[in-house]
Amino acid sequence: MADNLSDTLKKLKITAADRTDDSLEGCLDCLLQALTQNNMETSEKIQGSGILQVFASLLIPQSSCTAKVANIIAEIAKNEFMRIPCVDAGLISPLVQLLNSKDQEVLLQTGRALGNICYDSHEGRSAVDQAGGAQIVVDHLRSLCSKTDPASEKLLTVFCGMLMNYSNENDSLQAQLINMGVIPTLVKLLGIHCQNAALTEMCLVAFGNLAELESSKEQFASTNIAEELVKLFKKQIEHDKREMVFEVLAPLAENDAIKLQLVESGLVECLLEIVQQKVDSDKEEDIAELKTASDLMVLLLLGDESMQKLFEGGKGNVFQRVLSWIPSNNHQLQLAGALAIANFARNDGNCIHMVDNGIVEKLMDLLDRHVEDGNVTVQHAALSALRNLAIPVVNKAKMLSAGVTEAVLKFLKSEMPPVQFKLLGTLRMLIDAQAEAAEQLGKNVKLVERLVEWCEAKDHAGVMGESNRLLSALIRHSKSKDVIKTIVQSGGIKHLVTMATSEHVIMQNEALVALALIAALELGTAEKDLESAQLVQILHRLLADERSAPEIKYNSMVLICALMGSESLHKEVQDLAFLDVVSKLRSHENKSVAQQACLTEQRLAVES
C-alpha cells in the first residue's frame, strides 16, 4: 500500500497540472481508500509529499472532482497535526469560496472540511473568520431551515457542527455568531427538525456553546426556546439525551425572563416527575439526574416572577411538593427543599404565610438531623431559609417562641465558615428590635466568646463582618448593662472600635451606636479597653476625614460627648484638639451634623 500511495501522490501532482479529470478522479479515489484504511499514516504521507498546495488549485467550482478533494481535506483534518498545514497551504480561502456552490455534495464536503480544520485550532478558526466563512454558513442555515428532505437535513447537521467547532470556547467568535442572528435560526431548526436525532443533538451542543455568553440570553429570551426545549425534554427517555437538554437549560435558566418562560412551558412538572422517579434509586446516573433536576428547580425559583408564580399564595402544587422534600431521607432533596424555601422566602408576604403554616418546625427538625457530623450544605441551606424567614417583624417573636435560637445555637461549635456565616445572620435577624431575646443572647458567655473569636477570622471576611455586626446588635437591641459587661469581659470592645473604621458605612454606624450605649451605660467597666483600642484617636480621624458620611460624623460627636465622663478619655480628647475639628462642622451642609457640632463644641468648651 505504501508504494501504491507514493505512486498515487506523484501521479496526482502530474495530473493536477494537466487537469485531466478522469485520471485525477482515479488518484483521488485511491487517496480516499488509503485514508479509510489508515488515516493517520496516509495523512502524514500527504503532508510530506507537498500535495496540500496542489489541493488549493483543485478546489474550483467547475470541476467534477471538487467534492472529492474537499472530502480528502475533511478526512486528513481529523488529525490535529494536519490542521495548521491545511491553513498554511492556503486551503481556507478556496474552501470558503466553495460555500457559494449550488452543488449539495460540494457544500457537504466543504462544510466537513472547514469544520474539521476549525476543531480545537485557533489558526483554523482565525483563517475561516478572515475569509468570512461563518456568515455564508449562517445564511445557508437560514435558507435551508424549513427543508426536511434527508439531504438537506444532513447538510444542516454538518453546517451546525461546523459553526460549533468554529466558535467552541471562543467568546469573540460566539459573539460574532450571535450578532449574525444565528440563535433564532437554530431555535427554528430545533422546532422543525425535532424528529432528526443527529440534527437535534447538534443544535443542543450549539445552544450549550452560545448559552454561556451573557449577550446570548436576551436573544434566546425573544425566541420560543423554552417551549421547544421542554417539548424535546418530555420526549427523551434515555439519560444521556436528557443530560444534553439539561446542559442547555441550566445556563439559560440564569436569565429571569427565560426562567418564567420555562415555568410557563411546564418544565417544573417534568422536574418534579424526575425527582419522584429517581428518589429511591441508588444507580449513579439516577442520583446524578435527581441532583440536576432538583438544582434546576431551585434555580428557577431565583427569579422573582417565576418564584411567585410557583408559590401561588402558598397553595401551589409545586410549593407543596417542595415542602415534602424537607423531611425526606435523601440529602439532595433535603438540600434542594431548604434552598427552595429560602428562595420562596424573598418577600414578606411569603415569609409570613410560611411561618404561620409551620415551616419553621420542619426546618428545625431538619437541622436537628444534621447537628452531629451533619451535612454542611444542608445545614447552610436550612439556616439560609430561617434567616430569610426572620426578616419580617411579625415573624421574629413567633420564631423566637418556636425555639429557633436554641436550634441555631447548636451549630456554634461548627468549624465551617459558610455555616458560621448563616448562623450569625439568622441570630442577627431574630434579635432585631427584640430586646428580651437580645439580652438573653448577649448574656450567653459561650456565644459572646465565640463571636469575639470569629471577629478575628481574617481569612473569612463574611464571618468576621457578621460577628462584629451581631456583637453590636446585642448591645443596640438589648441596651443592657449585663450584656455590655459580658462583652467587655470576653474582650469584645476592641472589635467594636475596629468596626467603626469599616469601609461599610452601615457597619461603622452600628459600631458607633453600640459604643455610645457602652459609654452611656457602662463607661467605667469599658474605659480601659476603649483607651487601649485608641477609640479617641479613631474618632478624631473620622471627624477630620471629609469622606466620612454625615451619620458617621454625627454619631462620632455623640460618642465624644458620652466619653467625657471618663477622666482618662476626657484627657485624650483635650490633648487631640477636638475643638478645631468640631467647630469646622458647625457649617456642615447636613443640619443634624451642624446642630450636633454646636452642642459638642459647647460641651468641649465647658469641660476644657
Side-chain angles (χ1 to χ4, degrees):
M1 177 188 143
D3 294 343
N4 247 353
L5 184 57
S6 303
D7 291 346
T8 301
L9 290 167
K10 279 179 198 159
K11 193 174 169 192
L12 187 56
K13 275 187 179 172
I14 299 160
T15 50
D18 298 345
R19 301 241 174 231
T20 45
D21 276 9
D22 290 348
S23 38
L24 194 57
E25 204 148 338
C27 292
L28 295 173
D29 285 338
C30 276
L31 273 190
L32 280 168
Q33 197 181 348
L35 284 163
T36 308
Q37 286 167 356
N38 190 334
N39 191 318
M40 191 185 278
E41 196 182 310
T42 306
S43 296
E44 283 169 350
K45 284 263 170 52
I46 289 172
Q47 190 189 359
S49 71
I51 199 88
L52 283 178
Q53 284 77 0
V54 175
F55 285 160
S57 65
L58 294 176
L59 291 168
I60 45 173
Q62 311 83 293
S63 168
S64 59
C65 299
T66 305
K68 278 185 182 164
V69 178
N71 187 359
I72 290 169
I73 296 168
E75 288 302 316
I76 61 177
K78 286 177 179 176
N79 302 290
E80 191 181 347
F81 65 87
M82 288 301 290
R83 289 171 200 148
I84 294 175
C86 283
V87 175
D88 293 343
L91 298 180
I92 302 298
S93 185
L95 281 169
V96 168
Q97 291 306 311
L98 287 176
L99 289 172
N100 297 306
S101 168
K102 298 279 182 280
D103 185 313
Q104 271 205 317
E105 184 60 20
V106 170
L107 286 174
L108 187 75
Q109 299 305 342
T110 303
R112 285 184 62 233
L114 288 169
N116 290 352
I117 292 170
C118 285
Y119 185 77
D120 232 356
S121 164
H122 169 71
E123 292 77 8
R125 291 168 181 179
S126 230
V128 173
D129 178 23
Q130 281 161 16
Q135 183 67 65
I136 304 171
V137 173
V138 170
D139 292 342
H140 273 305
L141 285 180
R142 213 168 275 140
S143 61
L144 287 167
C145 186
S146 306
K147 297 189 173 175
T148 52
D149 60 286
S152 296
E153 286 196 327
K154 198 172 176 186
L155 196 49
L156 283 165
T157 307
V158 166
F159 281 154
C160 275
M162 185 241 146
L163 290 181
M164 189 182 73
N165 287 354
Y166 171 71
S167 65
N168 189 31
E169 290 180 359
N170 184 311
D171 286 2
S172 64
L173 294 180
Q174 287 172 359
Q176 181 196 73
L177 292 181
I178 291 164
N179 291 335
M180 288 174 182
V182 76
I183 287 174
T185 305
L186 288 172
V187 174
K188 197 172 162 193
L189 262 182
L190 186 68
I192 295 170
H193 302 272
C194 55
Q195 302 302 329
N196 184 313
L199 185 48
T200 298
E201 210 163 293
M202 222 33 114
C203 279
L204 287 174
V205 180
F207 287 146
N209 232 346
L210 298 169
E212 298 292 342
L213 216 61
E214 212 38 57
S215 59
S216 74
K217 307 276 186 8
E218 275 178 38
Q219 271 211 28
F220 273 119
S222 65
T223 68
N224 63 336
I225 182 75
E227 194 187 323
E228 292 298 353
L229 285 175
V230 173
K231 218 189 301 177
L232 186 66
F233 189 77
K234 285 176 179 170
K235 282 185 197 157
Q236 305 309 322
I237 301 157
E238 293 166 49
H239 167 79
D240 293 350
K241 294 285 193 309
R242 278 210 292 239
E243 194 63 33
M244 282 190 81
V245 184
F246 269 139
E247 278 170 17
V248 180
L249 286 169
L252 286 179
E254 285 166 14
N255 175 281
D256 282 359
I258 299 175
K259 281 186 183 78
L260 187 60
Q261 291 168 11
L262 288 168
V263 166
E264 287 170 342
S265 299
L267 178 61
V268 173
E269 289 71 16
C270 299
L271 297 176
L272 288 172
E273 204 174 310
I274 287 176
V275 168
Q276 203 168 354
Q277 286 167 3
K278 310 292 179 184
V279 66
D280 297 320
S281 170
D282 47 14
K283 273 207 243 157
E284 210 169 300
E285 64 177 34
D286 288 347
I287 294 167
E289 201 166 346
L290 176 80
K291 180 180 179 348
T292 309
S294 52
D295 284 349
L296 188 50
M297 180 79 196
V298 171
L299 181 58
L300 292 174
L301 293 172
L302 276 172
D304 289 337
E305 281 188 82
S306 50
M307 176 272 288
Q308 213 48 47
K309 190 173 177 67
L310 293 170
F311 188 66
E312 290 182 71
K315 306 275 189 289
N317 170 43
V318 174
F319 174 65
Q320 296 302 330
R321 290 278 286 278
V322 166
L323 271 187
S324 72
W325 293 356
I326 294 172
S328 93
N329 291 319
N330 183 302
H331 281 187
Q332 175 56 35
L333 281 193
Q334 293 171 0
L335 170 65
L339 287 172
I341 297 303
N343 286 346
F344 279 125
R346 283 209 318 281
N347 64 51
D348 284 7
N350 291 5
C351 288
I352 293 163
H353 180 279
M354 287 192 279
V355 168
D356 287 348
N357 284 275
I359 189 65
V360 170
E361 289 72 16
K362 283 187 170 69
L363 289 167
M364 282 172 23
D365 287 347
L366 176 60
L367 275 175
D368 244 10
R369 295 162 71 180
H370 288 276
V371 175
E372 298 303 326
D373 306 320
N375 182 306
V376 174
T377 50
V378 175
Q379 293 170 359
H380 179 259
L383 288 167
S384 295
L386 287 170
R387 181 200 172 280
N388 289 2
L389 290 165
I391 293 172
V393 177
V394 294
N395 280 358
K396 296 181 198 293
K398 293 173 187 170
M399 290 175 73
L400 288 165
S401 62
V404 172
T405 325
E406 294 76 10
V408 170
L409 285 172
K410 289 176 186 172
F411 295 90
L412 206 53
K413 54 182 183 287
S414 171
E415 293 302 332
M416 305 305 290
V419 174
Q420 297 165 353
F421 180 72
K422 287 297 176 187
L423 171 150
L424 293 163
T426 307
L427 291 176
R428 189 165 62 78
M429 285 301 159
L430 282 169
I431 62 163
D432 191 6
Q434 307 293 313
E436 198 181 315
E439 181 164 12
Q440 202 180 346
L441 277 179
K443 291 191 294 193
N444 179 331
V445 178
K446 269 188 180 165
L447 169 65
V448 174
E449 284 177 348
R450 194 71 160 133
L451 290 183
V452 170
E453 182 191 327
W454 286 341
C455 281
E456 289 168 10
K458 291 192 169 49
D459 293 344
H460 301 288
V463 172
M464 194 163 84
E466 277 292 348
S467 303
N468 279 305
R469 293 189 77 185
L470 184 51
L471 265 187
S472 155
L474 292 170
I475 296 168
R476 288 183 297 111
H477 298 303
S478 71
K479 299 180 178 59
S480 153
K481 291 184 169 204
D482 289 339
V483 170
I484 293 170
K485 282 177 189 164
T486 308
I487 288 172
V488 172
Q489 282 155 12
S490 304
I493 297 298
K494 63 180 179 191
H495 297 299
L496 289 171
V497 175
T498 306
M499 183 182 168
T501 65
S502 164
E503 58 192 23
H504 305 291
V505 174
I506 191 164
M507 285 176 70
Q508 280 186 292
N509 220 17
E510 287 171 0
L512 291 169
V513 172
L515 288 165
L517 283 165
I518 292 169
L521 297 169
E522 275 296 326
L523 187 54
T525 313
E527 186 179 45
K528 279 195 174 61
D529 288 356
L530 293 171
E531 213 174 314
S532 63
Q534 299 191 310
L535 173 63
V536 174
Q537 289 83 338
I538 284 168
L539 291 174
H540 190 277
R541 274 209 311 274
L542 289 174
L543 288 172
D545 189 345
E546 287 177 9
R547 292 165 303 174
S548 294
E551 59 267 42
I552 301 304
K553 292 191 187 297
Y554 178 87
N555 282 322
S556 295
M557 289 188 281
V558 170
L559 182 47
I560 285 292
C561 294
L563 295 176
M564 302 303 271
S566 153
E567 202 175 313
S568 57
L569 292 166
H570 183 176
K571 187 177 181 312
E572 284 189 13
V573 171
Q574 282 176 320
D575 292 348
L576 271 173
F578 264 84
L579 263 170
D580 299 349
V581 186
V582 172
S583 60
K584 282 181 190 164
L585 293 172
R586 284 187 319 180
S587 55
H588 196 279
E589 59 186 6
N590 183 294
K591 275 187 184 162
S592 302
V593 172
Q595 282 172 346
Q596 186 58 42
C598 292
L599 292 170
T600 308
E601 190 179 34
Q602 287 166 13
R603 182 78 194 270
L604 289 169
V606 169
E607 302 274 355
S608 61

